[in-house]
Amino acid sequence: MTTIAPPPFIPENAPFSSAQRAWLNGFLAGLFSQGGVALPPNSTPAATVNLTVLYGTQTGTAASLSRGFVKDAKKLGFAAKAMDMAEFSADQLKDVTHLLIITSTYGDGEPPDNAKALHAELLSDAAPSLAHLEYAVLGLGDTNYEKFCACAIEFDERLLKLGARRIYERVDCDLDYEAAAQSWFEGVCAVLKGSQTLPQPVEIEPPTIRESPGYGRSHPFSAPLLENKVLNFPGSAKETRHLAFSLAGSDLRYEPGDALAVYATNCPELVDDLLRVTGFDGEEAVIGSNGKEKPLRLALLRDYDIGNLNRGALEKFSKFCRTPELERLLAPQHSAELTTYLHGRQWIDLVTQYPILDSRPADFVALLRKMQPRLYSIASSLTAHPNEVHLCVGIVRYETHGRRRKGVCSTYLAERIETDVPVFVHSNASFRLPVDASRDVIMIGPGTGIAPFRSFLQERTCSGDTGRNWLFFGDQRSASDFLYREEIESLQKNGSLHRLDLAFSRDQPEKIYVQHRMREQARELWRWLEGGAHLYVCGDASRMAKDVDAELQRIIQKEGAMTSEAAADYVVQLKTLKRYQRDIY
Ligand SMILES: Cc1cc2nc3c(=O)[nH]c(=O)nc-3n(C[C@H](O)[C@H](O)[C@H](O)COP(=O)(O)OP(=O)(O)OC[C@H]3O[C@@H](n4cnc5c(N)ncnc54)[C@H](O)[C@@H]3O)c2cc1C
Ligand SMILES: Cc1cc2nc3c(=O)[nH]c(=O)nc-3n(C[C@H](O)[C@H](O)[C@H](O)COP(=O)(O)O)c2cc1C
């Protein structure tokens, strides 16, 4: 291994102001002063690096991160492009010299939909040798899931096995991904800069976390609440709410398929309980998530996740209070027991069971994860409702270990909106209406999965799209859980909704779900698909989306008279052509 020499400073005659030149020189020097940057001996210092950034994404985070990195890479003088994994095959890797993979993980440690085909290709025996390739992988995930960043790990390990050279260690990011992702990118750039001659950069600005100007993740808009009503009727076991917010004065724009991210505050009673159990009075100064001092109570209300536990939280806590019982539970051989212990337990349970009465508030806060915004599929179209955004939210309440629990954000939206709500738009280019407005669309969205389809239908109706619309909706009972019933029936009457299939699971002795309705309509569904229809699924990822996917393959196999392999290929093709898209959670 050879260590990279620092890059040349920006010459005096480069087209920058002295301040820009000073910043750039500082930035490059900073990158190289981190010390850990090493290149393998056979790297080629003189050639211009052509960087391909492949993203695997379900809800758009990896895509926007990749596009942002490509923009910054170009500013640093690299030739770079971001590509959707769905549009990329393993064979194309023969023309790639420098590859960055940025991917999330979904389901039970699975690749996101757009990464499935490439992932399968690369993991198969037919995968090409990649001895010519230099690469680095960034994982996006959530430590609440057992298979944290599994897809990124698999890509990373497989590329190495196929002979590619890893130029930078993989970083696996938790939901709070920005700083870790940025530092990974800077590290990768530092390595790459050692192997190329840079053309003059055209424009440079400090490499901050990217965000479109205006309101965003680190600067949410305070949206006034316009409407908050329960959509279920008496007799329902559920509480599903329609919420409308004003975006007036924000310049925030969204497209059908996007999500709204909401910053909630924790339940004040839970915060009070936590203070009581920990013995703090809440006035102690601690560091908030923005790095500034604030009273503990405020930090617990707004800045930190005091809800559900995961392995990471327990590991930190166990080190903090040195409890043999927890240490035992965390041993690899007790992972099943750990899962059982974690299920339904929260911070309040932990500090009740293992008191931390003599601790400093700052040490306790250091154990907590930052509060994360929750995403909600947008249920309105700006064309139909200028300056408004609507959501359809299922309120989460349950009881575990003798305590009534409240989902942080959903119950905040249901019960506690006292001032305007901090929001930003989370763009999701992986869930979009067909560009060709004459295409038919099939929408499968039981429960709150109806949300983006309300948006789709509003948009298609207002825009006069000529393609037909087919909705599969389901919930528990038709009398109490037919969300947006009047709207849907009126769309049917005025001819905007061409087909509607309903599945109410508890209206009859046997359970009927949307996948059963799909089976009943198999021939027609196949006709629509063969006619070029786009198919969308939104809602529950754990069961519904899997059952719908299995039914879709069955229908294609039967109606298309195919083998199961050919049907699976057909589905892959639909995904590649962006005619099968899922917004599942
Ligand atoms: C892209 C995307 C789009 C989404 N769109 C929507 C939408 O349109 N509408 C919508 O309502 N939601 C939507 N969600 C889900 C939403 O983001 C939140 O996850 C949901 O509202 C719960 O958040 P919360 O803060 O209320 O609950 P949290 O405080 O996050 O608690 C939820 C957690 O509680 C635990 N839990 C729940 N029930 C039980 C139980 N019975 N026993 C034990 N543990 C339990 C589980 O660990 C669960 O993950 C979407 C999510 C994504 C990623
Ligand atoms: C339904 C669902 C399943 C998920 N499964 C996993 C998982 O198994 N492992 C993991 O590390 N992250 C998991 N995540 C978290 C996502 O990978 C994470 O939110 C990521 O930032 C999303 O990036 P994307 O928007 O590019 O898809 C899951 C998220 C959702 C909504």
Side-chain angles (χ1 to χ4, degrees):
M1 299 283 272
T2 53
T3 305
I4 305 174
F9 289 127
I10 301 301
E12 293 265 325
N13 61 355
F16 301 116
S17 68
S18 57
Q20 281 174 322
R21 207 168 45 245
W23 176 84
L24 186 56
N25 282 332
F27 170 53
L28 295 177
L31 284 181
F32 285 86
S33 69
Q34 288 162 10
V37 177
L39 272 185
N42 57 348
S43 53
T44 48
T48 296
V49 167
N50 272 300
L51 200 54
T52 299
V53 184
L54 282 183
Y55 55 84
T57 188
Q58 194 75 36
T59 59
T61 317
S64 42
L65 208 51
S66 301
R67 288 194 204 101
F69 284 161
V70 160
K71 227 164 135 189
D72 282 359
K74 284 181 178 164
K75 286 177 190 166
L76 289 170
F78 298 112
K81 60 176 183 279
M83 291 188 74
D84 184 335
M85 281 195 192
E87 290 161 11
F88 197 91
S89 72
D91 191 43
Q92 286 170 268
L93 283 175
K94 67 178 188 307
D95 302 321
V96 174
T97 53
H98 295 85
L99 175 71
L100 302 186
I101 284 189
I102 301 179
T103 184
S104 61
T105 296
Y106 268 78
D108 185 19
E110 289 163 27
D113 282 348
N114 80 322
K116 280 195 167 119
L118 183 66
H119 178 268
E121 240 189 308
L122 282 175
L123 267 76
S124 77
D125 293 342
S129 159
L130 299 176
H132 65 288
L133 187 71
E134 297 194 338
Y135 80 97
V137 175
L138 179 71
L140 298 184
D142 179 348
T143 47
N144 280 329
Y145 289 92
E146 214 171 301
K147 295 183 181 159
F148 176 53
C149 286
C151 178
I153 295 170
E154 281 166 7
F155 270 121
D156 187 25
E157 291 176 352
R158 186 60 180 160
L159 290 177
L160 202 63
K161 265 212 175 109
L162 293 172
R165 192 180 308 119
R166 185 197 284 137
I167 55 164
Y168 200 78
E169 281 302 311
R170 188 189 70 250
V171 169
D172 297 332
C173 304
D174 204 350
L175 288 178
D176 188 9
Y177 62 87
E178 293 96 328
Q182 183 68 26
S183 127
W184 173 86
F185 175 67
E186 288 174 8
V188 168
C189 285
V191 173
L192 289 173
K193 285 178 73 68
S195 63
Q196 76 160 353
T197 311
L198 288 178
Q200 296 295 346
V202 280
E203 174 202 345
I204 288 288
E205 61 193 33
T208 47
I209 305 302
R210 79 203 62 339
E211 213 166 60
S212 49
Y215 296 104
R217 195 177 170 93
S218 56
H219 180 39
F221 173 65
S222 292
L225 177 72
L226 301 174
E227 200 179 355
N228 185 353
K229 71 170 183 202
V230 178
L231 291 170
N232 309 89
F233 288 93
S236 174
K238 294 189 171 182
E239 180 183 343
T240 316
R241 284 177 179 261
H242 172 78
L243 290 116
F245 297 96
S246 170
L247 295 178
S250 72
D251 278 346
L252 282 177
R253 290 284 165 269
Y254 62 84
E255 285 184 54
D258 285 345
L260 190 75
V262 177
Y263 281 104
T265 55
N266 282 309
C267 173
E269 289 84 40
L270 181 60
V271 170
D272 289 342
D273 281 357
L274 203 54
L275 289 173
R276 190 175 40 74
V277 172
T278 50
F280 304 133
D281 71 13
E283 293 308 315
E284 302 91 338
V286 293
I287 303 296
S289 58
N290 62 357
K292 294 194 179 136
E293 262 193 12
K294 56 171 71 172
L296 174 63
R297 186 167 195 283
L298 205 58
L300 293 179
L301 273 172
R302 299 209 181 135
D303 292 17
Y304 294 104
D305 184 349
I306 56 167
N308 298 339
L309 297 169
N310 59 20
R311 171 184 269 277
L314 222 59
E315 272 167 0
K316 276 189 178 178
F317 187 78
S318 161
K319 274 191 201 132
F320 178 64
C321 66
R322 306 213 164 273
T323 316
E325 246 173 288
L326 290 181
E327 278 164 21
R328 189 192 68 82
L329 211 53
L330 285 161
Q333 66 271 28
H334 297 131
S335 69
E337 209 183 318
L338 175 69
T339 306
T340 311
Y341 177 81
L342 289 174
H343 183 75
R345 278 200 169 81
Q346 300 184 320
W347 275 99
I348 185 79
D349 305 286
L350 198 59
V351 292
T352 304
Q353 191 174 358
Y354 303 104
I356 53 161
L357 287 169
D358 297 327
S359 311
R360 293 184 323 139
D363 293 338
F364 175 58
V365 159
L367 301 173
L368 303 173
R369 292 210 298 180
K370 255 174 143 176
M371 174 81 100
Q372 292 303 319
R374 274 29 175 205
L375 297 183
Y376 294 94
S377 314
I378 291 175
S380 51
S381 126
L382 274 176
T383 322
H385 298 277
N387 279 324
E388 287 186 17
V389 61
H390 300 180
L391 306 179
C392 174
V393 178
I395 312 305
V396 176
R397 300 178 206 278
Y398 56 97
E399 193 166 330
T400 47
H401 308 287
R403 197 181 167 96
R404 290 163 75 177
R405 320 278 175 175
K406 293 172 164 191
V408 173
C409 190
S410 57
T411 61
Y412 158 77
L413 290 172
E415 303 167 357
R416 299 191 306 278
I417 302 179
E418 283 144 14
T419 54
D420 299 344
V421 174
V423 302
F424 63 95
V425 170
H426 179 96
S427 163
N428 184 5
S430 307
F431 202 75
R432 286 282 182 262
L433 277 166
V435 177
D436 175 357
S438 69
R439 289 290 178 114
D440 295 336
V441 301
I442 304 166
M443 299 163 280
I444 302 167
T448 54
I450 186 71
F453 304 136
R454 185 174 180 265
S455 169
F456 278 18
L457 286 164
Q458 288 181 357
E459 182 74 13
R460 301 240 310 165
T461 307
C462 288
S463 313
D465 290 5
T466 53
R468 292 173 300 168
N469 301 312
W470 184 352
L471 176 67
F472 287 85
F473 174 74
D475 212 311
Q476 291 186 345
R477 296 179 182 86
S478 58
S480 56
D481 304 315
F482 190 167
L483 311 178
Y484 300 111
R485 178 182 204 142
E486 279 180 21
E487 283 183 26
I488 289 172
E489 287 179 348
S490 107
L491 285 168
Q492 228 187 340
K493 275 196 200 108
N494 73 22
S496 302
L497 180 58
H498 302 83
R499 291 193 66 116
L500 174 65
D501 282 276
L502 299 167
F504 291 102
S505 59
R506 302 195 186 181
D507 273 0
Q508 60 289 305
E510 75 284 7
K511 292 276 166 59
I512 295 180
Y513 297 114
V514 279
Q515 63 271 22
H516 300 123
R517 297 299 186 217
M518 289 168 67
R519 186 174 292 195
E520 285 168 14
Q521 301 299 330
R523 183 142 310 160
E524 189 60 6
L525 208 146
W526 171 245
R527 254 190 237 124
W528 278 52
L529 284 179
E530 282 289 273
H534 289 222
L535 189 140
Y536 302 87
V537 181
C538 180
D540 172 55
S542 61
R543 276 169 303 170
M544 182 277 294
K546 285 183 187 143
D547 293 345
V548 163
D549 189 72
E551 189 55 46
L552 179 67
Q553 304 233 15
R554 212 172 289 132
I555 290 171
I556 291 168
Q557 187 181 344
K558 180 157 180 282
E559 300 301 324
M562 295 180 197
T563 61
S564 64
E565 292 75 24
D569 276 354
Y570 190 100
V571 171
V572 169
Q573 277 309 305
L574 285 180
K575 283 186 183 155
T576 306
L577 296 169
K578 301 198 185 307
R579 286 181 47 210
Y580 177 24
Q581 301 183 10
R582 304 194 301 169
D583 172 17
I584 54 177
Y585 46 87

